[in-house]
Amino acid sequence: MLQNVGLAFVFNGVGIPVAATGLIHPVWAMVAMAVSVTAIFINSFSGQPKLFLEAIASVGRPTGAAATPNPK
């Protein structure tokens, strides 16, 4: 978790000032933000590939109360 916080601070601490001062085009700032989020997401599953694959496989599947049919 500390590593993810560090990554977030590095990406945002460098990316936001660079984008705000106009040193890079806004599209590249958006790409950098997407890379930041993706890197942190993938890093959060490092060492636990089973969790990563389960998270991907569960996309679009109902969970909890939505998964149980209405008894009426």
Side-chain angles (χ1 to χ4, degrees), residues 14-48:
V14 172
I16 290 173
V18 169
T21 57
L23 294 175
I24 61 171
H25 195 275
V27 171
W28 292 114
M30 291 184 335
V31 169
M33 187 59 70
V35 169
S36 166
V37 169
T38 304
I40 292 168
F41 176 75
I42 291 172
N43 187 44
S44 69
F45 288 110
S46 65
Q48 301 173 9

Side-chain angles (χ1 to χ4, degrees), residues 3-6 8 11 14 17-18 20 26 28-30 32 34-36 47 51 54 57 64-65 72:
Q3 189 176 18
N4 287 342
V5 172
F11 274 116
V14 172
V18 169
W28 292 114
M30 291 184 335
V35 169
S36 166
L51 286 177
E54 287 175 0
K72 290 183 181 180

